[in-house]
Amino acid sequence: MDRSQGRSGGIASGSSVEAATFTGNRALQIEEPLIFEMGQPGRTGVDLPEPPKVKDRLNGLRRGGEIGLPGLSEPQVVQHYTRLSQKNYAIDMGVYPLGSCTMKHNPRINEKVARFAGIGDLHPLQPVSTVQGALELIDCLAHWLKTLTGMPAVAMSPAAGAHGEMCGMMAIAAALESRGERARRKTVLAPESAHGTNPATAAALGFTVKPIPANESGRVDLGALKAALGPDVAAIMLTNPNTCGLFESEIIEISKAVHAAGAYFYCDGANFNAIVGRVRPGDLGVDCMHINLHKTFSTPHGGGGPGAGPVVLSAALAPYAPYPWIVQDGDKWRIAEDGAAVDGQPLGRLKAFHGQMGMFTRALAYIMSHGADGLKQVAEDAVLSANYVMAALKDTMTPAFDGPCMHEALFDDTFLKDTGVSTLDFAKAMIDEGYHPMTMYFPLVVHGAMLIEPTESQAKEDLDQFIGALKSLAERAKSGTAAEAFKAAPLYAPRRRLDETLAARKPILRWRPSNNPPSVDPMKQAAE
Amino acid sequence: MDRSQGRSGGIASGSSVEAATFTGNRALQIEEPLIFEMGQPGRTGVDLPEPPKVKDRLNGLRRGGEIGLPGLSEPQVVQHYTRLSQKNYAIDMGVYPLGSCTMKHNPRINEKVARFAGIGDLHPLQPVSTVQGALELIDCLAHWLKTLTGMPAVAMSPAAGAHGEMCGMMAIAAALESRGERARRKTVLAPESAHGTNPATAAALGFTVKPIPANESGRVDLGALKAALGPDVAAIMLTNPNTCGLFESEIIEISKAVHAAGAYFYCDGANFNAIVGRVRPGDLGVDCMHINLHKTFSTPHGGGGPGAGPVVLSAALAPYAPYPWIVQDGDKWRIAEDGAAVDGQPLGRLKAFHGQMGMFTRALAYIMSHGADGLKQVAEDAVLSANYVMAALKDTMTPAFDGPCMHEALFDDTFLKDTGVSTLDFAKAMIDEGYHPMTMYFPLVVHGAMLIEPTESQAKEDLDQFIGALKSLAERAKSGTAAEAFKAAPLYAPRRRLDETLAARKPILRWRPSNNPPSVDPMKQAAE
Amino acid sequence: MRYLPLTDADRRDMLGVIGVKSVDELFRDVPQSARLGGKIAGLPDHLGELEVERAFQAYAAKNVSSSVAPFFIGAGAYRHHVPATVDYMIQRGEFLTSYTPYQPEITQGTLQYLFEFQTQVTLLTGMEVANASMYDGSTGTSEAVLMANRVTRRSKALLSGGLNPQYRRIVETTAHWQGFKAVSGKPDAEGLEDLIAAVDKETSCVVVQNPSFFGHVRDFGKLAEACHAAGALLIVVVTEVVSLGLLKPPGEMGADIVVCEGQSIGNGLGFGGPYVGLFATRDKYMRQMPGRLVGETVDADGKRGFVLTLSTREQHIRREKATSNICTNAGLCALAFTVHLTLLGEAGFRRLAEINHTKAAQLADKVSALPGVKVLNDSFFNEFTISLGKPAAPVVEALAARRILGGVPASRLLPDDKSVENLLLLAATETATDEGMAALVAGLKEVL
Amino acid sequence: MRYLPLTDADRRDMLGVIGVKSVDELFRDVPQSARLGGKIAGLPDHLGELEVERAFQAYAAKNVSSSVAPFFIGAGAYRHHVPATVDYMIQRGEFLTSYTPYQPEITQGTLQYLFEFQTQVTLLTGMEVANASMYDGSTGTSEAVLMANRVTRRSKALLSGGLNPQYRRIVETTAHWQGFKAVSGKPDAEGLEDLIAAVDKETSCVVVQNPSFFGHVRDFGKLAEACHAAGALLIVVVTEVVSLGLLKPPGEMGADIVVCEGQSIGNGLGFGGPYVGLFATRDKYMRQMPGRLVGETVDADGKRGFVLTLSTREQHIRREKATSNICTNAGLCALAFTVHLTLLGEAGFRRLAEINHTKAAQLADKVSALPGVKVLNDSFFNEFTISLGKPAAPVVEALAARRILGGVPASRLLPDDKSVENLLLLAATETATDEGMAALVAGLKEVL
Ligand SMILES: Cc1ncc(COP(=O)(O)O)c(C=O)c1O
Ligand SMILES: Cc1ncc(COP(=O)(O)O)c(C=O)c1O
């Protein structure tokens, strides 16, 4: 029994205690051990035929000893991961308003087409003559992305947004290099509200990041920006709509000023979903922008990826696009790979093979399903829903800025002042109400930030219930008597609040027989 | 808001109350309204092109008015059924020891192959030349079933066990008819422990069911049986292993006596999983037996079907097998359908088309995966697990019979005597422990019966935890002080005990706007 | 063995606890003569998943997938597009691997969708109450006749010549072995049959199909009146449930029991099964219904919940007095049906029906232009009958040789009836394409 | 629109609550010049699910599925059988549609499987600590070099000629733009390369691959010693992770960082992505690792639970000082990996590796018997290199014309290197059949 430490080991006889269970389970909420605590030698979840004996070619390097992998049968594996899944919240369960992450509906048809034989099972190095349909598919998505953004070129290979940032900033470095100005232009301007990946990317490429201040309306202070622009500036990295959920109203003046100063405009496109089909970044003077297919185009977030981050490029940066890309010759498609004779000076390669094909397929299915008309409606419904939440909550909670927002509504924690309830406490209380909390403490420029992104996928009735719950929680918090209750939240989740300090102080990053986890005595819990 | 009555409507401000939520949700356990309470006119979960206008051929019978179907978008539909699914217990979640139902592991590969293009998408009336593989598949399964049972023929079309019983008993009636004895032989013998479908089937065919008593060891009383056998007896319906989980040790004497009396032996094969690969019913003198593919061969129970109930037939009954069946001519297969010239006198047809192909596919995949060696092991592990549970609990709970059992362990409620705890209470307490209860109050011959069928799919560690939990519950019950706690169970399930009397007294079998369901005031609940 | 968690060590330990030497001792009750030495002979041993997959790929390769050929087959099963969401939902383990909701506290998911399903069925059919499913439309039809016999305490059923011949055979089989009369009309290819005259005081029910097996669409209002006047019930069978999105529902025609084959919504062709039977009737006959019923109630906290109810009709309680012997029914197919119908909603379901009818009308116009081809139907939904002037079966085989799945020869289901030998049933759903129709027309031109 | 729950009525109500007349007012911050009149021109409108499915069927029909042709392609991505259970699990909405576990109380499912994944990676590689995944093996390799630069505070990486050429190009690209030296050895087709002499005091790391791009299997123990003596790190790259079931793990060779492409376990070929990068190192370098880390802790009730930890390495906390800019990684592919590996277990994983090696050995023996064909490898796992005596690319095209997917010409990844023009890489996994091998051999006979 002690092998299964995630489950209550000792079944104590607890006739004394009322509201506890012997197993530690709570009906459908079942405690789950680690696979390493479930394994048995000689047990397996596969049946593989015994191979014929042949002389091995292992150069004497045959692995000795135990690897240490646990042996589980298929039924146990199914039960293990099913029970684990039941400890997760997900888009499929309800409102998941995680700002900046765009947790919109993930259609199942996209999963289906991505698995078609002839699509899901192609090897990236099959002869090009045997993958013409795959290349056409990628080219079709590329066409959509270029047209929707109004940009002449796109690099498809980046694996996620951050990878796209790396790609785009490398292209800018390449352009500067060919202008002989790379050594001189070492500064990248970015607002303090920028996502962490922006400064991280710029710094990795040897740029120094200089913050540009925001004005009281939450946008870039144009005057300050102009003052900051000089011969040392390589680029500006700006998210638009920005991470406060606001459209940079002076963006055209910004891009003009940036270009006038000989610098480039990197636009972080994580929030493209707010304007897709309605506004073309190309019309705003953007030089490059990554598109998170797992946000705007709904490829599943999968518990933290995989994603895809194609980067659209202006004419100025297009020549530096990395390998590979798809080329159409008449009715045939080919791949421009490393060493291929091409015009332009590709900046190199960022990833093996041809990019996140599985995400391309899903994104294209999503795009085809919506069409130009539907995508425009997506942007409008996303913005409408965010403004609706903002309007409904503006008197109970405290909006960080006034005026309409785009796809996400940003609040600060002023309304919690002197209540003893923090943004974190408020978020944890939302969990008990059946919601995933909003993004907390981001962007950094707003105190105790709460960034709510409903997306276009929620019904009005569900938004109303969500709004009602937040109102009630805010009122309870303001009552001043509920700090304890908030600190205790969540009460009903698979786990109560977790000790993150302990985790960081003594990191346990892998199972070891010696870990011996805190014993779970259900009787003790009950007593509390 | 009042459209969504499954969710807490009014968000009351409840700063007063601690352990309640405003929404009525409990973190991942989310209250769910009916689709009819979620619908909006003009909303839909599909996009269908507008058809061209043509002159209709509806003979003036175009449907007018509203049908009344609710309009939901796809995201809502996904969330609705996902949340509903999370209110279910299932094999994939843990021990599901529902006696007589054989809740064994359902492999996902079976689901996959059943969906292959060329298998899952065939029309039953396609030209026979275009479905040769499908006919071969059915014939292959038929071969397995005949060989495993040692019987010469099988009727594949019955849709479930009960349907198979109807088929088998019709075959017996047909045999009697051709002997000119149908009018005379009107009695069917069946033990009181028989499953309800047995008497129901016999009665439907105009037979009178005469009970045969069991002996103290839980088997048919041979003497009493012999006494009951006479010229009026058409058949005996006997489950083996029987519904007490016991093998009918005198089964050969039984079949001899039955045949000697000119009657037939219908064997209810619902428990074939206990002996598959180890014992052939044909060697026991059985004339016909249905096989629940959804039990012995693990086609998914699906919340109550679909199933399949092929019936194997002895030489005496084979001539009466109903249409259709598969015939192999050289290297081609054809279907013997109604009107086809065949030898024998088919009793007619029981079902449209050719049977539950989707179940055939899954069952054959299960059978191939196990093979002759694995199926034998299946029976042995199922019997071993049941005896293990029986042995571990025999001193705490009260086994209904002694000696080893087969695939299920039967207990009566003697151990609960004078505790104020009933079999029902005990079962409900198991729910809180994270288990599906065993079969309760069946078979009827045992007082407060608890029929535990672990199947071969549970790991020993999981059986041990299950045993531990039952021991603890039994001890708690015997403490004599816990009746209240048991009556209150379950506490943690999506619902507490439901009022079945109310449901039967004023049946509400469909949603109507006027139903107006009991309003759920989470504040009130919390007060309790 | 990947599916068996017990290790040999476990087995030894467990035998020890039980107190026996070997598993054979647990089988001691098996008579000597029936004990097998080892494995059953003549059967292969277990296979890995890859090998199993290959075996089924080999079976599939010997069939013509309905997705790759121009397809016009119906006659009781119809090819429709099923949204991917449906297949995802029915594969969720919480639905797929749970059983009849005997323990309502932990099966509210199943119970609620069945309650919603029952409601949807009453709405589609225009009836008052529906059960939680039958095996399929064909078995549901004979259950309906048995129910009518119980209600009327009579034992003569009149079966329309427009009823699917296999359905008819099933009712006849049931009638023969369960002991009642089933009188069948001759196949009604022209759709001219009038059963009113045949209804008499012995008649327990009249069973009609709409659209009929040959595709004709009829109003049975008059027939209903005649039945009720004679104390008989009208049973209306619908094998293409999508038609209810466009056609006057049986409930409005005065039907007493409606049985539908629900396959078209949510369920693939699957070579004939499993499908799902819809069964609806009037409130006053509720207690005579076969099958499971889900009802609304409250729990100990006053929260709305659902349970199986009126079980006193059923075999597990009522045994020989049960209204039917049915136990396991079609739960998961009912889930597929209800998820798909919920996706469609009012607008989608009506639109789907409209498209089906339009496609069929287009096909009818195209084939009627062919020399020697006559469309028999003035009225139809998505299927109709044509006469070819020569036997239809060889024509269909000739089309199959060209990889066209060109309908069902009436003789396939009516082998003994020369009068229908030249008749071919053609169906067209939303999955029919212009190219497919053109291929059929061209194919027919060649082979006729 | 099936995906959009808001009705026009809803939209009107919501605009009312917001207090604006039209949604355009909400976009008032968009500069006039950038406002589009209506929809973006030149793009089609929305399609139904059936139409979308057909569009992708059309794409698929223009490709040769790896499942229908004899298949021997590897070179960094391998075709393996993935159990159906894996695909079911990764499609469960609770996993598929949730995101990075920022709220641990309601993402214990994701956190626990990542903790289990991290442990499995340490066991396979023989290392002490692993992260929760990188995008793939290729990007993980350049992250490893960057990490070595941080650890050693040096900036020269030596890249083996046995490293996958695309991996090499990626490191070179990173080196160029991030400003460090990457010195690459020439392609090592014979597997004779010795890098020990090249290691010096500027060297931050040596990057080798095992088995190498050309398939050779080597022990890098001596190289590790040389690296450590010079204060450099040894980075071992594994592109076929199944090999770790049979080969001495990098950890036992003294590797400091191990990067694997995890695709082979649980993840299909998918035309190159998404895949999953495994990243493992020594405890002492833990805080220099890129990517997410899951750690064990307890909750307020003292129950064991898991959280994201050591986030001070990451961009969202550390911004310009982060160890990497990675954010979204490969969560769901890591789930597929860990589910598949859990199914395999110790016995299954070793057996799988054994079968792969056996198939490749059989293939090597078969092709080496062909005139003009020379196998370059004395050692290999499931992939090896042959020389054809003529350019390999046209040979592969000729095989493709015969519907045989016969390996990767070295020139596909090394277009500028004449010396490898005649070389062909052949891989065989458990999915290779005798018939397939025979077809390849016959095909080669014809085209050589
Ligand atoms: C504003 C912003 N920029 C960049 C990123 C990074 O994108 P990814 O996670 O796809 O690497 C994100 C995503 O979290 C983001 O919200
Ligand atoms: C002993 C026995 N007989 C018959 C049946 C009826 O089988 P089915 O539910 O497949 O109709 C069952 C299933 O519950 C059973 O347990």
Side-chain angles (χ1 to χ4, degrees), chain B residues 37 45 48 61 63 65 67-68 88-89 118 121-122 133 136 194 219 303-304 353 373 381 428 495 499, chain C residues 11 29 46 62-63 65-67 77 98 103 105-106 110 166 246 248 271 297 304 319 329 343 346 350-351:
Chain B
E37 298 160 343
L48 297 170
L61 293 174
R63 184 169 194 159
I67 299 172
N88 271 9
Y89 193 89
D121 63 354
L122 299 175
E136 183 182 352
R219 278 102 174 159
F353 309 125
D373 54 337
D381 283 1
K428 298 304 183 188
R495 284 291 179 267
D499 187 340
Chain C
R11 293 178 182 121
D29 291 328
H46 70 276
K62 296 178 189 170
N63 301 319
S65 155
S66 67
S67 326
S98 104
Q103 298 287 346
E105 299 86 354
I106 48 172
T110 300
Q166 290 193 338
L246 200 54
K248 183 175 176 183
F271 200 56
T297 186
R304 176 172 69 183
R319 304 182 66 88
N329 43 28
L343 281 166
E346 182 88 16
R350 284 177 175 275
R351 170 67 62 89

Side-chain angles (χ1 to χ4, degrees), chain B residues 330-400:
Chain B
D331 63 348
K332 293 245 163 305
W333 278 266
R334 58 182 175 81
I335 314 172
E337 290 179 290
D338 313 65
V342 294
D343 29 334
Q345 307 109 270
L347 61 85
R349 167 178 284 273
L350 275 98
K351 192 176 180 308
F353 309 125
H354 327 304
Q356 304 282 71
M357 179 64 164
M359 305 295 105
F360 298 161
T361 310
R362 290 167 174 86
L364 183 58
Y366 176 89
I367 286 171
M368 286 180 170
S369 297
H370 285 83
D373 54 337
L375 290 174
K376 181 165 178 289
Q377 191 66 59
V378 159
E380 291 173 2
D381 283 1
V383 169
L384 179 63
S385 297
N387 278 282
Y388 180 67
V389 169
M390 171 82 86
L393 292 174
K394 69 173 182 314
D395 300 333
T396 325
M397 293 165 60
T398 37

Side-chain angles (χ1 to χ4, degrees), chain A residues 37 45 48 61 63 65 67-68 88-89 118 121-122 133 136 194 219 303-304 353 373 381 428 495 499, chain D residues 11 29 46 62-63 65-67 98 103 105-106 110 166 246 248 271 297 304 319 329 343 346 350-351:
Chain A
E37 298 160 342
L48 298 170
L61 293 174
R63 184 169 195 159
I67 299 171
N88 270 10
Y89 193 90
D121 63 353
L122 299 175
E136 182 182 353
R219 279 102 175 160
F353 309 126
D373 55 337
D381 284 1
K428 297 305 184 189
R495 284 292 178 267
D499 187 340
Chain D
R11 294 180 181 118
D29 291 328
H46 70 275
K62 296 178 188 168
N63 302 318
S65 155
S66 67
S67 326
S98 101
Q103 299 286 347
E105 299 86 353
I106 47 171
T110 300
Q166 290 193 339
L246 200 53
K248 183 175 176 182
F271 201 55
T297 186
R304 176 174 67 184
R319 304 180 69 86
N329 43 23
L343 281 165
E346 182 88 15
R350 284 176 175 275
R351 170 67 63 90

Side-chain angles (χ1 to χ4, degrees), chain A residues 100 160-162 165 195 197 239 243 268 270 290 292 294-295, chain D residues 99 327-328:
Chain A
S100 206
E165 292 175 36
H195 189 266
T197 50
T239 309
T243 59
D268 181 327
H290 74 259
N292 312 65
H294 46 294
K295 295 180 178 184
Chain D
Y99 193 34
C327 177
T328 293

Side-chain angles (χ1 to χ4, degrees), chain B residues 33-35 37 44-45 48-50 57 59 61-63 65 67-70 78 80-82 84-85 87-92 96 101 103 107 109 112 115 118 120-123 125-126 129-134 136 162 174 177 182 194 196-197 201 203-204 219 249 252 274 278 301-306 337-338 347 349 351-353 356-358 368-373 377 381 404 428 456-457 494-499 504 508-511 518 525 528, chain C residues 2-3 5 11 24 27-29 33-34 36 44-47 53 62-67 73-74 77 85 87 89 91-99 103-107 109-110 112 115-116 118-119 122-124 127-128 136 138 166 169-170 173 176-178 217-218 244 246-248 269-271 273-274 295-301 303-304 309 315 319-320 325 329 331-332 342-346 350-351 354-355 357-358 365 379-380 397 412 415:
Chain B
L34 294 164
I35 51 175
E37 298 160 343
T44 175
L48 297 170
E50 167 126 39
R57 323 291 162 96
N59 193 14
L61 293 174
R62 183 178 284 273
R63 184 169 194 159
I67 299 172
L69 297 172
V78 169
H80 177 71
Y81 291 101
T82 299
L84 286 187
S85 74
K87 302 177 189 302
N88 271 9
Y89 193 89
I91 295 169
D92 282 1
Y96 199 136
C101 297
M103 306 302 284
I109 181 65
K112 182 178 182 182
R115 287 165 169 83
D121 63 354
L122 299 175
H123 192 292
L125 298 179
Q126 279 182 220
S129 61
T130 68
V131 294
Q132 287 294 302
E136 183 182 352
E177 191 167 75
R182 185 159 174 233
T197 50
T201 304
R219 278 102 174 159
S249 40
I252 290 187
R278 263 196 80 109
H301 279 83
E337 290 179 290
D338 313 65
L347 61 85
R349 167 178 284 273
K351 192 176 180 308
F353 309 125
Q356 304 282 71
M357 179 64 164
M368 286 180 170
S369 297
H370 285 83
D373 54 337
Q377 191 66 59
D381 283 1
K428 298 304 183 188
E456 72 276 11
S457 305
R495 284 291 179 267
R496 306 280 309 281
R497 281 198 216 186
L498 291 133
D499 187 340
I508 303 177
L509 304 182
R510 59 175 288 191
W511 175 84
Q525 293 153 35
E528 286 154 13
Chain C
R2 61 192 184 272
Y3 299 143
R11 293 178 182 121
D24 293 342
F27 286 86
R28 70 173 74 130
D29 291 328
S33 64
L36 301 169
D45 278 351
H46 70 276
L47 294 178
E53 217 176 290
K62 296 178 189 170
N63 301 319
V64 177
S65 155
S66 67
S67 326
I73 303 178
T85 298
D87 198 42
M89 278 302 161
Q91 290 192 64
R92 282 182 59 82
E94 294 88 334
F95 287 134
L96 184 77
T97 73
S98 104
Y99 194 32
Q103 298 287 346
E105 299 86 354
I106 48 172
T107 47
T110 300
Q112 184 169 332
F115 183 81
E116 294 170 340
Q118 290 174 177
T119 307
T122 60
L123 293 170
L124 293 191
M127 302 299 283
E128 293 163 349
D136 67 1
S138 70
Q166 290 193 338
R169 293 279 296 121
I170 292 159
T173 301
H176 179 81
W177 301 112
Q178 298 200 21
V217 173
R218 304 276 303 273
L244 294 176
L246 200 54
L247 291 174
K248 183 175 176 183
L269 286 169
F271 200 56
E296 179 180 318
T297 186
V298 298
D299 80 350
D301 291 337
K303 290 188 191 166
R304 176 172 69 183
T309 191
Q315 46 75 24
R319 304 182 66 88
E320 48 268 82
N325 77 337
N329 43 28
L332 200 70
T342 304
L343 281 166
L344 288 163
E346 182 88 16
R350 284 177 175 275
R351 170 67 62 89
E354 196 75 51
I355 294 171
H357 185 53
T358 305
D365 295 345
S379 71
F380 58 82
E397 280 296 343
R412 173 86 186 256

